[in-house]
């Protein structure tokens, strides 16, 4: 699969690792892929994001992702579902931060990614985490969480569905937008949905950037 990635797509993968390192995350997650996509210039993904009005709104996206991390990685859909069960996530976050400091749940969320650290065996569900072509490509600097791996795999499906011979950063963006979770929710809140992306990228010949 690695050989199918374009220069822009590879830059996104490496950029995601860099964002994970800067945020001191133990693993590369979907949000880091989104941040890396926002870094791109003169690529198909950047063209699509600009066309949908996301240019210049990076700080807003970063704030939304930071707020989700503060909730322990829960999306708004997750918090709404819990609210329906009588669980007030905001109140829980406040109480935890009063006792352990701001960002306590963010730290706990990051630490759950390292269950296999120490004995190298993992917890069964995370067996082999960080292995594969993506790990070799980034030099083992950070393992990839399951969600990030799934985005990489889904990007291949996106490319095949369009009969594209290579996987570009636009396929990574489409994969993120199509998957339920924080990144797609944040994108949608900023007017970038899977349907809108497909329209910009494939609705006409004008989206053939780069």
């Amino acid at each position: 699969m690695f050989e199918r990635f374009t220069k822009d797509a590879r830059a996104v993968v490496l950029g995601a690792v860099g964002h994970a390192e800067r945020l001191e995350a133990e693993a590369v997650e979907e949000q880091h892929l989104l941040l890396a996509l926002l870094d791109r210039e003169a690529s198909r993904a950047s063209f699509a994001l600009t066309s949908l009005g996301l240019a210049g709104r990076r700080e807003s996206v970063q704030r939304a992702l930071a707020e989700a991390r503060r909730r322990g990685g829960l999306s708004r859909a997750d918090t709404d579902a819990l609210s329906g069960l009588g669980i007030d996530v905001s109140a829980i976050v406040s109480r935890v931060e009063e006792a352990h400091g701001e960002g306590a749940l963010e730290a706990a969320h990051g630490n759950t990614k390292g269950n296999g650290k120490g004995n190298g065996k993992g917890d069964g569900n995370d067996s082999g985490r960080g292995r594969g072509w993506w790990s070799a490509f980034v030099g083992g600097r950070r393992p990839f969480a399951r969600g990030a791996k799934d985005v990489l795999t889904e990007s291949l499906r996106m490319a095949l569905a369009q009969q594209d011979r290579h996987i570009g950063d636009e396929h990574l963006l489409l994969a993120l937008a199509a998957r339920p979770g924080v990144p797609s929710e944040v994108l949608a809140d900023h007017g970038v949905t899977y349907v809108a992306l497909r329209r910009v990228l494939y609705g006409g010949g004008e989206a053939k950037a780069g």
Side-chain angles (χ1 to χ4, degrees):
M1 184 165 139
F2 168 71
E3 67 278 2
R4 291 176 178 263
F5 271 58
T6 64
K7 179 181 178 181
D8 286 321
R10 297 182 189 193
V12 169
V13 174
L14 285 174
V17 176
H19 280 291
E21 291 175 341
R22 282 188 288 277
L23 291 169
E24 298 184 347
E26 292 192 358
V28 179
E29 301 182 11
E30 294 158 281
Q31 61 168 308
H32 304 129
L33 289 167
L34 174 54
L35 290 171
L37 281 162
L38 294 176
D39 292 336
R40 302 305 302 146
E41 296 179 356
S43 69
R44 282 178 58 80
S46 65
F47 177 86
L49 291 173
T50 299
S51 297
L52 293 173
L54 199 59
R57 303 185 68 190
R58 180 190 180 92
E59 289 187 3
S60 177
V61 171
Q62 289 176 317
R63 284 195 300 270
L65 292 174
E67 185 59 31
R69 289 196 301 272
R70 189 172 167 230
R71 296 192 302 266
L74 293 176
S75 68
R76 194 168 56 251
D78 293 331
T79 59
D80 288 345
L82 290 171
S83 178
L85 297 173
I87 301 172
D88 188 338
V89 173
S90 295
I92 292 173
V93 170
S94 295
R95 287 198 296 270
V96 171
E97 290 189 339
E98 284 178 9
H100 302 285
E102 186 173 343
L105 284 177
E106 176 182 346
H109 171 65
N111 287 339
T112 62
K113 296 294 184 285
N115 289 337
K117 194 172 180 179
N119 61 16
K121 294 180 181 179
D123 63 357
N125 292 328
D126 226 8
S127 179
R129 184 174 130 268
R131 298 174 185 173
W133 70 263
W134 51 83
S135 183
F137 174 53
V138 301
R141 290 161 56 189
R142 280 290 192 281
F144 277 65
R146 187 173 301 279
K149 290 183 192 178
D150 289 344
V151 169
L152 298 180
T153 301
E154 184 63 24
S155 69
L156 172 61
R157 297 194 185 98
M158 293 290 176
L160 292 175
Q162 295 300 322
Q163 299 184 341
D164 291 334
R165 300 180 64 182
H166 300 289
I167 300 171
D169 62 347
E170 73 273 22
H171 300 118
L172 291 169
L173 179 58
L174 283 166
L176 272 177
R179 287 173 51 80
V182 170
S184 61
E185 190 174 84
V186 171
L187 283 170
D189 286 345
H190 289 78
V192 181
T193 64
Y194 174 75
V195 172
L197 283 170
R198 282 189 55 82
R199 184 180 68 248
V200 170
L201 288 166
Y202 301 108
E206 71 277 6
K208 298 294 184 181

